[in-house]
Amino acid sequence: LEQILELLLQLRQILEPLFLLEQILELLFQLVQILELLFQLVQILELLFQLVQILELLFQLVQILELLFQLVQILELLFQLVQILELLFQLEQIPELLADSGAAVSAL
């Protein structure tokens, strides 16, 4: 019986470090899982950064579209100015036309 107890004690001394080793391995496995999650978090943050860049580009696009709209308005105003100038040119010709028509009537 004493030998059995001694063998069991020796077995316990052998198994205790193995049990500790198992616990260490479990903790290492959990650490690996945590590191994988952190890596995924970094990837998510990179995607969010890219999303912010896309939103900045979209904001710049909106600004460009606003400038193009203003350019269209300027072009419309220039077109109206050309029409006004054409009307002024036609108004300047009215006295000449009246004089020409008056001369034609008196010639008749």
Side-chain angles (χ1 to χ4, degrees), residues 95-108:
E96 294 174 11
L97 291 175
L98 289 177
D100 289 346
S101 64
V105 170
S106 61
L108 288 175

Side-chain angles (χ1 to χ4, degrees), residues 68-86:
L68 286 174
F69 178 72
Q70 290 176 357
L71 179 62
V72 166
Q73 289 178 321
I74 290 171
L75 290 174
E76 288 175 350
L77 290 174
L78 286 174
F79 179 72
Q80 290 175 0
L81 179 61
V82 166
Q83 289 178 323
I84 290 171
L85 290 174
E86 287 176 349

Side-chain angles (χ1 to χ4, degrees), residues 37-55:
L37 290 173
L38 285 173
F39 179 72
Q40 290 176 356
L41 179 62
V42 167
Q43 288 179 319
I44 289 172
L45 290 174
E46 287 175 351
L47 289 174
L48 285 174
F49 179 72
Q50 290 176 354
L51 179 62
V52 167
Q53 289 178 320
I54 289 171
L55 290 174

